[in-house]
Amino acid sequence: MPRTYLPFPAAGDNSDLSRQTLDALRLYHSIIHSARVGIAVLEGKEMVVTLANDACLELWGTDSSIIGKSLYETLPYLIAQSGPVLHKILQTGEPVFGNEVMYVVRKNGVDRPGYYDFVWQPRLGEDGSAIGITAIATEVTERAMASRKIKESQQQLYLLANSMPQLVWIAGADGKVSYYNDQVTAYRGAQKMEDGSWQWEGFVHPAELDETVRAWTDAVKQKVVYEAEHRLMMQDGSYRWHLSRAMPSLDENGNVLSWFGTATDIHQQKTFSEKLESEVKLRTAELEKVIEDLKDRKQKDDQKDTFISIASHELNTPLTIANGYIDLAAHLAIEKKDTALQILLEKSRNALRRVTNIVVDFLDVNKMQHGQLQLNLQPFDFIQVVNETIDFTRSIYPGRTLGTRVPAPPLQIIGDAERLRHVLNNLLNNAFKYSAAGSPVDLVVSSTDHEVKVSITDKGVGIAPENIPHIFDRYFRVKEIEHSHQGMGIGLYLSATIIQRHRGMIWVESEKGVGTTAFFTLPLQ
């Protein structure tokens, strides 16, 4: 089957030149037809096919019957796609190169799109004008499709990267950064080089630059995850803390293909962490001081406990004897009708009661410390105890006003009458003690179906808010008044313990410089 119209030597011509020409032509044809790329020679404006190897015929979807015929006749659809360019080559004598160009080829009556690389080279005549075209082409559809998929994946990757709030970057196996997402515009200091890589060192704060370079160099060398915390320069020249991380993408042999990294702004967390750490150190120092103060306070409390235990036991017997003598003297004064002596002895008895109450408090504190405080729970009329306490208080504060609002007796409860009398005495004494001489104190008693409530109000110095939570602590004294008002800081502690042992509640409401109201409740059942 003929494949070319190239001239052969005439029959019978046995000259050396003819034999050499024949051998060269045969070699030429052998090379062309064994080539895996499509090769064709087109002659003149009609694009007559004078040569087409098997690979070319396969690409065109035809056979050797087209040899010697015009493409306009045999493959019009192909001329429709490339004719103008082919004629331009004949006019200009300039070659045309194509890379992954799409053409539709008709095979077995079916149009099949594909991608091709080609070279269309003009063939020049003796006068230097183009008289034909040598076409070399190969199908690269698979490569082109793979390339397009890679480009689509890259576009999707870049779209995803640009949608992220972090700074996203890609680096090659050598560690050179080749891509930053659009977030890079928020930063300063990075430079894009002529080869397309980025010089990123200008991003990083000088204080962290050496460590950052070392960490990145080590990660690239060892093919391990990269991580670093550093400050990066923003567009306004300020620095913000970032966490930078990158992971290598490896092939099946463990070789790095590329690096994918992000830089996440952690400035708020970092500064908060630093502030928290500083705060923790400060609070730790304060706590250590508090602990030392508590140790010192405990030591002092232990010393007070020891003193109270000794003093209360040593004073108890003499006070009992003194009370006995006053009772005897009062009896004799009554017999002798010595009114002046009776008044004197009553004042002595009241003073002795106050000392006795202090000693009783000491004894009770000592008992509480050892879990030995016992309550004598019996039914009694609470209003009677309140009225007796009111009378006693008025007798020891004759120049003061005690306003009362107390319901009529009886109001039966179950409790330790003497302990509750002690609570009333303590709260009333505090009200008079910490208020001015001319100011009144008010005592109010009210009840519901399930509890009785007592309030004692003064218009005294009041209590600062920070001291209220500690007001019932053992030995607690308000610093501002501990020198101007005598006391041991055990009265309210005892009162609170007694009320709590009765399953009641006790609290205070106060405003510094205005006054204080002490409350307690007791269950009726």
Side-chain angles (χ1 to χ4, degrees):
M1 183 178 292
R3 299 192 181 189
T4 181
Y5 283 103
L6 291 176
F8 281 84
D13 186 351
N14 295 320
S15 67
D16 291 340
L17 179 60
S18 297
R19 284 195 301 272
Q20 290 175 0
T21 303
L22 180 60
D23 290 342
L25 288 172
R26 284 173 178 169
L27 178 61
Y28 172 71
H29 277 255
S30 176
I31 293 173
I32 289 176
H33 287 291
S34 63
R36 294 187 178 183
V37 297
I39 301 175
V41 177
L42 309 177
E43 295 292 339
K45 295 181 179 179
E46 295 300 319
M47 301 297 167
V48 175
V49 181
T50 59
L51 183 147
N53 68 355
D54 291 339
C56 181
L57 296 175
E58 175 66 24
L59 289 179
W60 287 349
T62 186
D63 54 34
S64 60
S65 62
I66 68 169
I67 302 298
K69 298 178 182 178
S70 169
L71 286 181
Y72 284 95
E73 175 187 349
T74 58
L75 300 173
Y77 72 90
L78 195 59
I79 288 295
Q81 297 177 74
S82 57
V85 178
L86 295 173
H87 284 290
K88 187 175 181 181
I89 295 173
L90 293 176
Q91 292 173 1
T92 63
E94 297 292 334
V96 172
F97 300 87
N99 182 48
E100 295 184 2
V101 179
M102 191 185 78
Y103 278 96
V104 177
V105 176
R106 186 168 296 160
K107 294 183 179 181
N108 300 322
V110 178
D111 289 344
R112 299 180 184 276
Y115 293 89
Y116 301 85
D117 288 349
F118 59 81
V119 178
W120 291 337
Q121 185 75 35
R123 293 179 60 246
L124 304 179
E126 294 180 358
D127 60 356
S129 62
I131 60 174
I133 296 173
T134 299
I136 303 174
T138 183
E139 185 174 3
V140 292
T141 300
E142 290 185 5
R143 187 191 76 191
M145 294 299 293
S147 176
R148 277 157 177 75
K149 286 183 179 179
I150 291 173
K151 289 180 180 178
E152 289 176 1
S153 297
Q154 286 180 335
Q155 289 175 349
Q156 291 175 355
L157 175 63
Y158 295 159
L159 181 63
L160 176 62
N162 286 328
S163 69
M164 297 177 66
Q166 292 98 333
L167 179 66
V168 179
W169 48 275
I170 300 173
D174 58 359
K176 288 186 178 181
V177 176
S178 59
Y179 166 80
Y180 280 113
N181 67 344
D182 290 347
Q183 292 293 338
V184 73
T185 58
Y187 297 81
R188 252 173 71 185
Q191 289 184 328
K192 193 168 186 178
M193 312 305 288
E194 291 184 0
D195 62 359
S197 65
W198 286 81
Q199 195 76 20
W200 52 265
E201 285 81 357
F203 267 146
V204 185
H205 192 285
E208 290 90 45
L209 180 58
D210 289 345
E211 178 61 24
T212 298
V213 171
R214 185 199 62 76
W216 177 234
T217 302
D218 288 348
V220 172
K221 183 177 179 180
Q222 299 172 23
K223 305 176 185 179
V224 295
V225 173
Y226 159 74
E227 184 170 310
E229 287 188 9
H230 42 213
R231 286 166 288 180
L232 301 184
M233 186 189 298
M234 311 306 293
Q235 273 296 344
D236 61 1
S238 65
Y239 285 91
R240 293 183 65 84
W241 281 100
H242 285 69
L243 171 64
S244 291
R245 298 186 81 251
M247 296 186 67
S249 175
L250 306 176
D251 63 15
E252 62 274 9
N253 297 319
N255 299 313
V256 176
L257 298 174
S258 58
W259 291 82
F260 295 91
T262 59
T264 304
D265 190 320
I266 59 168
H267 191 77
Q268 186 173 359
Q269 299 95 308
K270 184 76 173 180
T271 52
F272 175 77
S273 177
E274 291 174 348
K275 182 179 179 182
L276 181 62
E277 185 177 349
S278 175
E279 192 72 17
V280 167
K281 288 182 180 178
L282 178 62
R283 293 291 177 255
T284 300
E286 291 178 351
L287 181 59
E288 289 173 350
K289 186 177 183 304
V290 169
I291 291 173
E292 289 299 319
D293 291 344
L294 287 174
K295 287 180 180 178
D296 183 58
R297 179 179 172 183
K298 185 178 185 305
Q299 186 177 7
K300 291 180 179 178
D301 287 351
D302 290 343
Q303 292 172 351
K304 289 179 182 179
D305 288 341
T306 301
F307 167 75
I308 285 173
S309 177
I310 295 172
S312 58
H313 285 90
E314 293 296 327
L315 291 174
N316 191 37
T317 299
L319 285 174
T320 302
I321 294 172
N323 274 312
Y325 282 138
I326 287 179
D327 287 340
L328 179 59
H331 180 71
L332 294 174
I334 291 173
E335 287 184 349
K336 294 181 179 182
K337 299 181 180 180
D338 189 337
T339 304
L341 182 58
Q342 289 180 40
I343 293 172
L344 182 62
L345 289 172
E346 184 62 28
K347 289 182 178 181
S348 298
R349 179 183 282 113
N350 288 338
L352 194 58
R353 281 179 181 172
R354 295 168 81 173
V355 176
T356 302
N357 286 337
I358 293 173
V359 173
V360 169
D361 284 350
F362 287 171
L363 289 170
D364 285 346
V365 167
N366 189 49
K367 290 176 181 178
M368 286 179 186
Q369 290 300 105
H370 295 86
Q372 298 174 351
L373 182 65
Q374 300 294 323
L375 296 181
N376 181 25
L377 301 178
Q378 299 290 335
F380 72 96
D381 182 1
F382 181 72
I383 300 303
Q384 180 181 342
V385 170
V386 171
N387 287 331
E388 290 172 357
T389 305
I390 291 172
D391 292 340
F392 174 72
T393 303
R394 284 173 173 163
S395 70
I396 60 176
Y397 293 102
R400 302 292 298 273
T401 300
L402 175 58
T404 60
R405 191 162 71 248
V406 181
L411 180 61
Q412 292 291 322
I413 68 170
I414 297 176
D416 188 324
E418 291 308 311
R419 301 284 187 195
L420 293 174
R421 187 194 308 274
H422 184 83
V423 171
L424 288 167
N425 277 327
N426 184 271
L427 297 179
L428 285 168
N429 282 335
N430 281 346
F432 283 112
K433 181 178 179 180
Y434 295 108
S435 58
S439 63
V441 172
D442 294 312
L443 182 150
V444 177
V445 179
S446 60
S447 64
T448 64
D449 292 338
H450 61 278
E451 69 176 11
V452 58
K453 180 178 180 181
V454 177
S455 66
I456 297 172
T457 303
D458 66 61
K459 293 179 173 57
V461 295
I463 306 168
E466 63 271 17
N467 291 324
I468 290 178
H470 307 289
I471 202 69
F472 296 108
D473 292 350
R474 182 165 59 106
Y475 301 133
F476 179 77
R477 300 294 314 283
V478 176
K479 292 185 184 295
E480 291 87 342
I481 60 173
E482 63 180 351
H483 298 298
S484 59
H485 295 77
Q486 298 284 331
M488 289 288 293
I490 61 174
L492 289 177
Y493 167 69
L494 284 170
S495 298
T497 304
I498 292 169
I499 295 299
Q500 290 164 3
R501 291 284 301 277
H502 280 80
R503 297 186 180 181
M505 294 178 62
I506 186 168
W507 71 97
V508 297
E509 295 176 2
S510 184
E511 184 177 351
K512 192 171 177 61
V514 177
T516 302
T517 299
F519 299 88
F520 70 86
T521 61
L522 296 168
L524 294 181
Q525 300 296 329

